Amino acid sequence: MKELPKIYDPRQVESRIYDFWMDGGWFRADRGGDKKPFTIVMPPPNVTGQLHMGHAMDCTLQDILIRYKRMQGYNALWLPGTDHAGIATQIKVEEELRTKEGLTRHDLGREKFLERVWDWKQKYGDTIVRQQRKMGASCDWDRARFTMDEGCSRAVREVFVSLYEKGLIYKGSRIVNWCPHCVTALSDAEVEYKEKPGNLWHLRYPITGEPGRYVVVATTRPETMLGDTGVAVNPADERYKDLVGKTCMLPLMNREIPIVADEYVDLEFGTGCVKMTPAHDPNDFEVGLRHNLAAIRVLDDNGCVNENGGKYQGMDRYEARKAVVADLEALGLVEKIEDYVHNVGTCYRCGSDVEPIISAQWFVKMEPLTHEAIRVVKDGETKFVPERFTKNYINWMENLHDWCISRQLWWGHQIPVWYCDDCGKMTVAREDPTECAHCGSKNITRDPDVLDTWFSSALWPFSTLGWPDDTEDLRYFYPTDVLVTGYDIITFWVSRMIFSGCEHMKKTPFHTVFIHGLVRDDKGRKMSKSLGNGIDPLEMADKYGADALRYNLVTGNSPGNDMRFYVEKCEAMRNFANKLWNASRFVMMNLTIDKNELPGTLELEDKWILSKLNDLAGEVNENLEKYELGIAAQKIYDFIWDSFCDWYIELTKARLTGDDAAAGEQAQRVLLYVLTETLKLLHPFMPFITEEIFQALPHEGDALMIQRYPVYRPELAFPAEGARMEKVMEVISAIRSRRSEMNVPSQKRPHLFIAAEDREAFESGQGYLRRLAMTGDVTVAAEPPADAESMVSVVTRDARCFLPLSELVDLDKERERLGKELEKNRGFLEGQRKKLANEKFVSRAPENVVAAERERAEKLEALIANLEESLRRLG
RNA sequence: GGGAGCAUAGCUCAGCUGGUUAGAGCACAUGCCUUACAAGCAUGGGGUCACAGGUUCAAGUCCUGUUGUUCCCACCA
């Protein structure tokens, strides 16, 4: 028998157990056999990333599901990997380059710079993987992928070319979101709008040929006026009817620009006149197209005024803003300046204000792709859990603009397009071409841009399984089963995986999207580097154990809702782990058997705990199937702590320490069985400690992690015996409560007289009544003892108990107490009777509900009768 | 402007398809080193389930509205 330390120390256990699993090869998913596949692809964290609390939660939820499915007998594949994370990674490497060597990427050149990024990836790329292992992640590491590995890159290329061939990818000059700091275009999804205080400048543009007359336009970005090529009014606006068709003079630039009429202009807002800057505003761009307005770009890629900005050339956008306003004021052309709070688009990576800029970029034509992506969700082929996120998804899908996929970065999948220097045409190819496909010229230059990171992530569920090749893995494991991710990433990623799966695989990539919320700090704020309020999951795992951290992250919250992180909860969960540890120690210390087998005959308390365990197994399976992980975890917690430790272990002590060896062994067998089944139930949630204990117990099979997950078994349901046991437990609780009220010292062990109908239940349980209710001898009879009047009485629904503690009793107080209890229960009974007297209730409520209410009423009546009897005896 | 969530004990939150006298952790109070565990045991106090209507035999749970709060989407110069 193995002696275990008194306090569970996860540090001694976790890494050893993890190695044990790895050595066993149990994380590897096989194909075929008589098992079915179950697949989760891990949302790939950034290569340069550190595990934060959100990852830890994500990781825990996935690991619970995959371990559960593995134990159910599936070929369970959890496919891990990392994402190259274009902008994020490039920024990091550039920063290091600047601070350490004072260089920019341009100093190095593309090739050398990319070498540096790959070096960086080699160096830090496995940090997060190590951290995931610490959390207990049971991924198939042999299948780990990277979005820029050879296979994923081929998938990206295939998708780009085939979408191009289908006419779903095009290059066009359009307004895009431009980050002047990252110097690249961004997709709509990568822009975060933030409310910022600003101004609304009202500017006067003189009407041509009508001295002294102006149109007044309002703007939040006065510097863009340098690129104005028109003024628009609403065609229905009576105020400006005569101006349409005329021109005005653009101040500072002295450019004559037309006044046009367009529905886009809101009559109510501002003056009803809008300056048109087609090169720097998406709406103006559209209006410009309708009225043939020129698009004059006045900002360069760094956000500085370019050669089209006259004397302001070279100023950055904010400098130019001040200068333009100052000059206009000097000319008397600023009518007024209002304070104005408006939404400003910012870069989701660096936070700089995004500038809408006209630019030649690559786009995915979204509209044709959305139909199937919407259908599969509407038809339930892919379901969101919780369901409410479906609406988010559909709404987003239905209002999509084309997806800008080109980025002016170096780190990423370079766009497979070559431009011919001679004929000017494009060659789009699966293999790198040596000549122009149109004229055969060798003078071809590759498009320098790379693809949006999410372009490759969108293919993750099938590129990781071998696509575009027709691999065995792909055929076996695709479509995958569940995607686990936070709600913040539905638009970025989930939606794109769905339409990509539909388009390229003709099947939606997963049947369930399991959404979780954000992990916030104890004040409800997002954890962030800038706030410095992040809690390192590894520190928590180290201090309290990965199991405790996992339990913290999965209990007490429900799918899709944010949770607050409390260190105290880690402590509580560590205590729970320790509780289990000590319960296991207790079982082991009393173990003389070496085989896990239930005994042939069972005592009442055995049947009670087995029945409880059986119910638990049934419920936990139900909850897990419905993704109610927190509820399942809570039930297991309650079972272990309340039912198993606080009751059952205590109940077995009489047998274990008694003289009857056979009875002792019987108790051992049940203890071992119940503990082992409980470990199985808990294993997906707390993998380390459960495996460690399992290995120390007599067991069959190599590892707990590959045992069969318990299910409900009708032959182990003992509802009648369970109810009888609870009669006794109720008496124990009632006596304890009375003792506590009366401050009876625990050394005091009074004789216990019980008057009850079901005498057998109480007679057979004398041992544990003595032990748990701290009494002396127990006498069970049909009627109370003769001198019951002088004793302390304790009343339950099924028994009247009498304790000769008269010296401690104040008869008046006793009467008062009984009276109060009687009052209370009469109140309940009255309610109950009313309900049962209600003809509508009896006729309309389901039979079982009515029966339950009847039974409840009967029990109340019994309790009241007992109370009345006791009170009567007191006189 | 459109949409969604949340509002339950002092704090943080569970409460699944309506059905016991609404639960947990932490905190609090009292008594216990009872040979698994003081990271523990026993007992106890504490809640008009935001507000107002409605549906129902029955509402914390479903519907409508109100208030407060958080978030997502759109982006009107």
Side-chain angles (χ1 to χ4, degrees):
Chain A
M1 195 194 315
K2 200 168 155 186
E3 185 58 37
L4 298 176
K6 233 177 166 177
I7 288 177
Y8 173 66
D9 181 4
R11 272 171 292 202
Q12 301 284 316
V13 172
E14 292 180 353
S15 63
R16 175 166 48 76
I17 289 289
Y18 200 87
D19 292 343
F20 167 69
W21 290 328
M22 288 291 282
D23 292 344
W26 299 304
F27 294 167
R28 274 200 294 272
D30 298 322
R31 286 186 304 268
D34 49 1
K35 295 177 169 185
K36 287 185 194 156
F38 185 89
T39 315
I40 296 178
V41 289
M42 177 194 286
N46 295 356
V47 255
T48 60
Q50 297 278 322
L51 195 85
H52 61 245
M53 219 33 108
H55 288 128
M57 174 170 203
D58 203 54
C59 182
T60 300
L61 297 176
Q62 292 175 70
D63 197 47
I64 290 168
L65 292 177
I66 208 77
R67 283 180 186 272
Y68 169 59
K69 287 292 166 181
R70 193 181 290 119
M71 289 176 79
Q72 278 192 323
Y74 287 86
N75 280 326
L77 169 62
W78 185 13
L79 199 155
T82 45
D83 192 296
H84 66 280
I87 299 183
T89 308
Q90 177 163 328
I91 287 176
K92 268 198 179 156
V93 178
E94 281 184 295
E95 252 169 36
E96 194 191 49
L97 204 57
R98 196 183 60 238
T99 52
K100 286 198 178 150
E101 301 171 55
L103 297 173
T104 70
R105 67 177 148 128
H106 300 282
D107 295 329
L108 282 185
R110 186 168 191 141
E111 213 168 301
K112 281 262 181 292
F113 178 75
L114 285 179
E115 274 173 32
R116 293 291 187 99
V117 187
W118 278 104
D119 287 347
W120 174 285
K121 190 252 167 193
Q122 275 343 101
K123 202 167 159 192
Y124 298 107
D126 61 345
T127 306
I128 200 150
V129 171
R130 281 200 313 275
Q131 294 173 328
Q132 286 167 336
R133 291 180 188 211
K134 256 205 132 114
M135 291 299 297
S138 61
C139 306
D140 187 345
W141 298 107
D142 294 343
R143 282 190 171 86
R145 297 297 298 269
F146 176 54
T147 48
M148 271 174 65
D149 66 23
E150 197 271 329
C152 289
S153 299
R154 224 147 40 80
V156 165
R157 187 116 169 209
E158 172 60 33
V159 166
F160 186 94
V161 177
S162 76
L163 286 178
Y164 179 80
E165 286 168 353
K166 291 177 198 166
L168 294 176
I169 278 185
Y170 66 94
K171 189 176 190 179
S173 271
R174 303 233 324 244
I175 293 278
V176 295
N177 307 293
W178 188 271
C179 175
H181 180 258
C182 300
V183 200
T184 180
L186 301 171
S187 68
D188 293 343
E190 287 167 316
V191 179
E192 285 175 358
Y193 287 89
K194 287 180 185 154
E195 268 207 348
K196 290 186 179 181
N199 294 296
L200 196 56
W201 283 273
H202 295 251
L203 311 178
R204 296 170 173 160
Y205 290 1
I207 307 290
T208 315
E210 296 184 38
R213 195 175 171 201
Y214 306 97
V215 285
V216 177
V217 296
T219 179
T220 54
R221 295 179 300 153
E223 69 281 7
T224 62
M225 63 83 66
L226 301 172
D228 282 4
T229 54
V231 167
V233 297
N234 190 292
D237 196 332
E238 296 298 328
R239 292 171 294 180
Y240 306 116
K241 259 216 154 110
D242 69 308
L243 287 178
V244 176
K246 291 183 178 169
T247 63
C248 60
M249 187 56 71
L250 182 67
L252 306 180
M253 300 305 290
N254 294 318
R255 182 159 68 230
E256 199 176 329
I257 56 176
I259 297 167
V260 300
D262 196 281
E263 298 283 354
Y264 157 72
V265 180
D266 180 355
L267 287 128
E268 309 294 322
F269 190 88
T271 59
C273 301
V274 189
K275 62 191 273 304
M276 288 292 121
T277 324
H280 293 287
D281 184 281
N283 294 305
D284 295 4
F285 179 79
E286 295 296 324
V287 176
L289 286 180
R290 290 195 283 271
H291 300 279
N292 287 317
L293 301 178
I296 301 175
R297 197 175 140 168
V298 294
L299 291 173
D300 67 14
D301 290 351
N302 298 301
C304 295
V305 177
N306 67 10
E307 69 280 4
N308 296 325
K311 69 171 195 171
Y312 305 96
Q313 180 173 0
M315 295 183 185
D316 86 30
R317 47 192 168 148
Y318 303 111
E319 252 178 275
R321 179 173 300 174
K322 277 186 203 154
V324 163
V325 170
D327 290 348
L328 287 170
E329 276 185 315
L331 293 168
L333 294 176
V334 177
E335 179 144 313
K336 62 175 171 177
I337 304 172
E338 288 176 306
D339 289 334
Y340 190 65
V341 177
H342 60 136
N343 278 330
V344 180
T346 60
C347 172
Y348 86 129
R349 276 297 158 198
C350 73
S352 310
D353 288 359
V354 163
E355 209 61 49
I357 282 182
I358 190 166
S359 174
Q361 302 288 344
W362 288 93
F363 295 89
V364 175
K365 197 173 178 184
M366 287 309 304
E367 202 273 337
L369 293 169
T370 57
H371 300 296
E372 185 65 1
I374 290 168
R375 188 196 64 78
V376 293
V377 172
K378 281 194 171 163
D379 288 356
E381 289 171 30
T382 291
K383 289 194 178 91
F384 283 83
V385 176
E387 201 266 330
R388 69 182 128 96
F389 290 102
T390 309
K391 217 167 181 175
N392 265 5
Y393 169 87
I394 300 280
N395 187 45
W396 191 77
M397 268 293 173
E398 284 176 343
N399 295 292
L400 263 188
H401 296 275
D402 286 355
W403 177 16
C404 176
I405 51 170
S406 44
R407 296 289 179 278
Q408 287 62 53
L409 307 170
W410 289 350
W411 176 241
H413 300 97
Q414 195 171 351
I415 291 176
V417 174
W418 284 258
Y419 304 98
C420 180
D421 297 340
D422 294 326
C423 75
K425 288 184 175 164
M426 289 191 287
T427 302
V428 180
R430 288 177 174 81
E431 301 296 332
D432 289 8
T434 53
E435 53 179 50
C436 172
H438 306 280
C439 72
S441 165
K442 306 271 186 208
N443 294 324
I444 52 173
T445 314
R446 186 166 186 176
D447 192 313
D449 290 353
V450 301
L451 290 165
D452 182 0
T453 297
W454 300 103
F455 193 88
S456 53
S457 328
L459 318 179
W460 193 242
F462 45 95
S463 65
T464 50
L465 291 169
W467 193 87
D469 296 332
D470 183 19
T471 63
E472 301 250 320
D473 265 6
L474 188 63
R475 276 201 297 248
Y476 188 71
F477 291 113
Y478 192 92
T480 72
D481 290 272
V482 184
L483 181 87
V484 180
T485 196
Y487 61 71
D488 51 332
I489 217 165
I490 293 175
T491 50
F492 271 115
W493 191 44
V494 179
S495 57
R496 287 167 178 165
M497 280 192 287
I498 293 177
F499 73 67
S500 297
C502 291
E503 176 67 16
H504 307 294
M505 297 297 297
K506 304 298 167 204
K507 267 182 202 161
T508 181
F510 21 72
H511 57 69
T512 299
V513 183
F514 181 36
I515 298 291
H516 63 250
L518 267 37
V519 185
R520 298 173 175 277
D521 75 358
D522 57 352
K523 293 177 187 68
R525 302 171 303 183
K526 269 190 189 176
M527 289 191 186
S528 74
K529 271 190 191 144
S530 54
L531 272 173
N533 62 344
I535 296 172
D536 182 3
L538 294 162
E539 203 181 296
M540 291 296 117
D542 198 50
K543 196 165 174 194
Y544 301 105
D547 287 329
L549 175 60
R550 288 167 64 115
Y551 230 69
N552 180 346
L553 292 172
V554 79
T555 49
N557 71 335
S558 50
N561 287 348
D562 291 351
M563 77 178 300
R564 296 188 191 200
F565 190 91
Y566 286 87
V567 175
E568 294 86 338
K569 200 170 155 195
C570 275
E571 242 172 87
M573 294 309 159
R574 175 204 57 186
N575 294 352
F576 170 60
N578 199 50
K579 186 75 183 173
L580 173 66
W581 183 254
N582 278 292
S584 307
R585 273 181 66 224
F586 173 81
V587 173
M588 282 179 226
M589 286 164 67
N590 286 288
L591 226 50
T592 56
I593 54 169
D594 55 8
K595 212 164 176 220
N596 183 359
E597 258 175 3
L598 276 177
T601 56
L602 295 166
E603 295 301 314
L604 199 59
E605 70 263 33
D606 298 336
K607 289 185 174 174
W608 172 76
I609 193 72
L610 286 168
S611 205
K612 276 243 167 201
L613 172 68
N614 199 35
D615 289 344
L616 176 72
E619 288 175 33
V620 165
N621 276 285
E622 270 176 39
N623 290 131
L624 287 177
E625 291 300 331
K626 289 191 281 184
Y627 301 94
E628 294 162 356
L629 276 54
I631 296 174
Q634 189 61 51
K635 285 179 180 168
I636 297 170
Y637 180 104
D638 291 342
F639 175 81
I640 289 176
W641 205 308
D642 299 340
S643 303
F644 188 61
C645 292
D646 288 347
W647 281 106
Y648 185 68
I649 282 184
E650 295 304 326
L651 290 170
T652 59
K653 280 179 180 172
R655 274 185 289 167
L656 291 171
T657 58
D659 300 328
D660 186 343
E665 192 184 309
Q666 182 192 33
Q668 286 182 40
R669 286 184 185 281
V670 182
L671 278 166
L672 179 58
Y673 175 84
V674 173
L675 177 60
T676 304
E677 294 306 294
T678 306
L679 291 174
K680 291 177 192 171
L681 286 170
L682 181 61
H683 179 263
F685 301 88
M686 285 196 161
F688 292 109
I689 189 174
T690 50
E691 184 74 73
E692 173 73 0
I693 295 169
F694 180 79
Q695 293 298 334
L697 292 170
H699 63 275
E700 281 176 18
D702 292 322
L704 178 62
M705 71 164 283
I706 48 170
Q707 295 283 310
R708 269 309 174 102
Y709 205 70
V711 293
Y712 182 83
R713 291 166 54 187
E715 71 273 22
L716 287 177
F718 306 105
E721 289 89 339
R724 272 180 109 188
M725 185 66 225
E726 284 181 5
K727 287 182 189 173
V728 180
M729 289 163 66
E730 209 177 317
V731 166
I732 292 171
S733 289
I735 294 174
R736 279 170 172 174
S737 176
R738 280 299 281 137
R739 292 180 64 117
S740 182
E741 266 173 60
M742 294 169 59
N743 289 319
V744 182
S746 53
Q747 295 82 8
K748 183 116 187 159
R749 294 180 171 275
H751 193 116
L752 169 63
F753 298 91
I754 299 179
E757 255 180 64
D758 186 359
R759 286 161 61 181
E760 203 192 320
F762 296 99
E763 268 162 2
S764 66
Q766 292 194 18
Y768 40 71
L769 270 164
R770 268 202 291 271
R771 181 177 280 271
L772 299 189
M774 293 162 293
T775 69
D777 289 339
V778 179
T779 305
V780 185
E783 291 301 319
D787 52 349
E789 293 80 11
S790 62
M791 298 189 193
V792 171
S793 74
V794 175
V795 177
T796 71
R797 292 172 297 195
D798 307 293
R800 277 180 291 152
C801 308
F802 302 92
L803 298 157
L805 291 167
S806 49
E807 75 277 12
L808 295 169
V809 175
D810 177 329
L811 280 178
D812 287 338
K813 270 192 176 170
E814 189 70 356
R815 268 190 286 268
E816 193 185 327
R817 188 187 66 80
L818 283 169
K820 265 188 191 165
E821 218 177 318
L822 194 55
E823 192 89 358
K824 194 174 75 182
N825 285 299
R826 277 178 177 156
F828 292 146
L829 181 62
E830 197 184 333
Q832 213 63 29
R833 280 187 174 148
K834 249 188 197 163
K835 202 182 238 183
L836 287 165
N838 185 339
E839 205 278 315
K840 282 181 176 171
F841 170 72
V842 180
S843 61
R844 292 193 196 181
E847 227 172 280
N848 62 324
V849 173
V850 178
E853 296 293 339
R854 283 229 167 83
E855 198 187 322
R856 208 164 295 135
E858 278 163 22
K859 286 194 170 174
L860 273 172
E861 277 164 13
L863 176 59
I864 287 166
N866 284 348
L867 285 166
E868 282 170 343
E869 175 67 13
S870 294
L871 204 53
R872 195 179 54 75
R873 281 170 179 278
L874 280 178

